Amino acid sequence: MSTFPEDDALAGEFAVPDDVQPVVDRVIAFIEEEVLPYEEAHADHVGGPLDYLDDDGLMKPETRAMQAEIRKRSADEGLYALHLPEEVGGGGLTNREHFYVQEAVFRYGTGHGSSVARAMMAWTEGPSPALLHLDEDQREEWLRPLVEGRETACIGITEPGAGSDVTAVSTTAERDGDGWVLNGDKRYITNGPFADTAQILATVEGAEGPPHETMGMFLVDTDNPGYEVGQPNLNIMMDGITSDVHLRDCRVDGDQLVGEVGDGLPLALSWVNWRRAGRAGMCAGMGRYLLDRMLTYAKDRETFGEPIGTNQAVQWPIVETATEIHAVREFGTALLGAYDAEANLHDLHQPTTARRKLSMLKYYPEDRLFDWADRAIQVLGGYGLMRAGGVERVFRVARNLRIPAGTTEIQKRTIAKTLGLE
Ligand SMILES: Cc1cc2nc3c(=O)[nH]c(=O)nc-3n(C[C@H](O)[C@H](O)[C@H](O)COP(=O)(O)OP(=O)(O)OC[C@H]3O[C@@H](n4cnc5c(N)ncnc54)[C@H](O)[C@@H]3O)c2cc1C
């Protein structure tokens, strides 16, 4: 149904199941009809390579306002929170079905200016399945504004001294009458500077036992004077939305604890699992974007009087990428389908086999995407390294992906453990 890209030789092969096609069509139509014209009309804030950043390297208010507008329009269309159950205003898609939505968003929404198109789909800033553990009143206050795209969130797990080892978190939560007082330092917090709500993992003072029994997840209104945005974490993606966050005698009410004391670590992992489950569709989508660019360039660009695509040396990286995209699509949808059959992302107890699947779903597609992006740069030559070429940004994103939400090594460590290798 889409009018772009024009030359889509593999469209029939990269099929979408009939039951998911209607929602994928709506997503593509939204990008074509709402996002791209909107970006074009406001090109000043997304058009240039770094037009979306201010002097501190943070995203400009104008660009954030554009993201907010797209988020809101998408939520109004019922497209923003397709991953959540219908009972909380979500779209009720399974993880396997959501794969195809992610693929469409990242194929058609990548490379057009900043991340305005990506704002149409709940991401780190959106409503996580972990928040399904809120009771009715809490859901109304904290979850509904996220589902409706009116507000955004961030998650504070990582600290200067706690990354892969989440149990090393040293932020504390101390009882204070009916409420809690949080103190600590968080690092690399995506959307930390701009979120309305922060989900903070902390160790509860006085609680005894191993970390999975002593941690809590707390919701913090970022207007709270105890929530301080620290230095921007300028990174390889130049996303402009990542920073340190400090909690300084940050008092929250008793009902700002999600679930119970002891749920903190599994809730944090539930959030992380949501990100892991999304990686296959995301990588397939960006892979198809790269394949589109490679095919077009190889047919257009001439050297020695011939299109570069007539050379085997240029054909092979394209052929390998097309083949491996099939592999990631089949792998991703099969594993997500099997995951859906045995667990839910918000389950606080994930069966061993489910954890293994999520770790496989994270590291393998990311590994492939990194190679695809590297090949795309090579096929596009000097243009591939230019911002204007539209593929170097994917390379930087692909390199980043292998670290957050659990590094490649940590995924392999988890898989090894589930195979009895410890
Ligand atoms: C752009 C970006 C955005 C992020 N957003 C967020 C966010 O929104 N919220 C949040 O809480 N966190 C966020 N993070 C943090 C991210 O989750 C951590 O960076 C990640 O978990 C790794 O932790 P670390 O950087 O401390 O690395 P470390 O844990 O110090 O690891 C360093 C290296 O050692 C390896 N390693 C460590 N332990 C082992 C082991 N046992 N076996 C084998 N290898 C090991 C790692 O794989 C890695 O290669 C973000 C990070 C980035 C880069």
Side-chain angles (χ1 to χ4, degrees):
M1 63 153 285
S2 172
T3 54
F4 65 104
E6 285 167 17
D7 186 4
D8 195 0
L10 289 158
E13 286 178 40
F14 292 137
V16 176
D18 289 347
D19 57 333
V20 196
Q21 189 70 60
V23 71
V24 170
D25 285 346
R26 285 174 59 212
V27 165
I28 297 171
F30 183 85
I31 294 174
E32 285 188 303
E33 291 161 22
E34 300 272 341
V35 179
L36 299 185
Y38 184 65
E39 280 190 339
E40 205 163 307
H42 298 82
D44 284 358
H45 307 306
V46 293
L50 294 176
D51 277 1
Y52 62 95
L53 297 180
D54 67 16
D55 291 344
D56 293 327
L58 288 175
M59 188 174 279
K60 287 196 309 194
E62 293 88 345
T63 311
R64 284 189 283 119
M66 289 180 69
Q67 288 187 333
E69 174 66 21
I70 291 300
R71 187 161 51 243
K72 186 76 183 66
R73 285 193 206 176
S74 174
D76 290 347
E77 295 282 327
L79 295 174
Y80 178 63
L82 289 165
H83 65 293
L84 285 184
E86 290 172 356
E87 73 195 64
V88 296
L93 294 192
T94 64
N95 290 293
R96 183 192 64 85
E97 291 166 342
H98 204 239
F99 170 98
Y100 298 101
V101 170
Q102 304 242 17
E103 183 183 39
V105 171
F106 280 98
R107 182 185 187 196
Y108 296 109
T110 293
H112 301 285
S114 67
S115 28
V116 171
R118 213 263 302 121
M120 71 166 291
M121 181 176 63
W123 194 243
T124 295
E125 82 302 323
S128 143
L131 295 180
L132 295 173
H133 289 272
L134 299 174
D135 67 26
E136 280 307 317
D137 290 343
Q138 290 172 313
R139 282 183 180 185
E140 194 59 29
E141 183 174 356
W142 301 97
L143 181 58
R144 184 187 283 275
L146 297 176
V147 172
E148 293 180 353
R150 290 185 278 118
E151 294 187 358
T152 63
C154 67
I155 183 138
I157 303 171
T158 306
E159 302 182 352
S164 300
D165 182 3
V166 180
T167 64
V169 159
S170 64
T171 294
T172 55
E174 192 179 353
R175 261 281 178 208
D176 179 33
D178 290 344
W180 301 90
V181 176
L182 309 180
N183 276 291
D185 301 298
K186 297 291 179 180
R187 177 149 291 170
Y188 306 152
I189 306 306
T190 304
N191 204 33
F194 308 122
D196 300 285
T197 299
Q199 303 154 93
I200 300 292
L201 181 66
T203 297
V204 174
E205 292 210 333
E208 308 231 323
H212 62 269
E213 291 174 13
T214 59
M215 293 178 133
M217 175 70 73
F218 298 86
L219 299 174
V220 177
D221 183 335
T222 57
D223 284 340
N224 189 315
Y227 180 93
E228 294 175 12
V229 176
Q231 62 174 6
N233 300 147
L234 306 180
N235 61 63
I236 188 170
M237 293 184 297
M238 292 187 263
D239 58 2
I241 57 172
T242 306
S243 78
D244 284 1
V245 163
H246 308 293
L247 300 145
R248 299 284 180 260
D249 292 328
C250 180
R251 195 185 187 287
V252 300
D253 292 340
D255 65 1
Q256 288 171 244
L257 173 70
V258 185
E260 298 173 4
V261 171
D263 289 346
L265 196 53
L267 283 166
L269 292 175
S270 159
W271 187 96
V272 167
N273 287 339
W274 172 44
R275 308 315 317 142
R276 292 178 182 173
R279 287 295 208 260
M282 176 186 188
C283 292
M286 284 197 278
R288 292 187 62 190
Y289 167 84
L290 294 169
L291 185 59
D292 295 338
R293 300 280 87 72
M294 283 194 270
L295 278 169
T296 304
Y297 199 78
K299 289 171 187 171
D300 286 354
R301 174 74 176 170
E302 292 191 1
T303 59
F304 309 103
E306 300 273 8
I308 58 169
T310 57
N311 299 290
Q312 271 191 353
V314 175
Q315 293 166 3
W316 286 12
I318 301 174
V319 168
E320 286 160 9
T321 301
T323 307
E324 290 168 17
I325 291 172
H326 272 300
V328 165
R329 292 185 95 246
E330 295 302 317
F331 160 90
T333 52
L335 232 62
L336 286 167
Y339 176 83
D340 287 335
E342 73 174 318
N344 283 302
L345 289 173
H346 66 269
D347 284 349
L348 294 188
H349 174 73
Q350 295 282 323
T352 304
T353 47
R355 285 191 289 118
R356 177 165 62 226
K357 290 182 183 71
L358 290 169
S359 286
M360 290 176 169
L361 280 160
K362 179 164 192 294
Y363 101 80
Y364 179 67
E366 290 174 351
D367 254 24
R368 292 300 82 236
L369 177 65
F370 181 72
D371 279 358
W372 303 338
D374 187 43
R375 290 174 193 151
I377 288 179
Q378 201 65 21
V379 166
L380 270 66
Y383 192 50
L385 290 167
M386 300 298 125
R387 299 263 163 80
V391 299
E392 60 83 38
R393 191 163 74 90
V394 181
F395 180 80
R396 290 185 285 110
V397 170
R399 186 62 194 86
N400 173 75
L401 284 180
R402 291 158 60 194
I403 304 284
T407 64
T408 303
E409 293 75 21
I410 294 302
Q411 306 316 311
K412 291 182 180 174
R413 178 175 180 264
T414 299
I415 296 165
K417 278 186 169 188
T418 68
L419 296 172
L421 300 170
E422 59 176 333

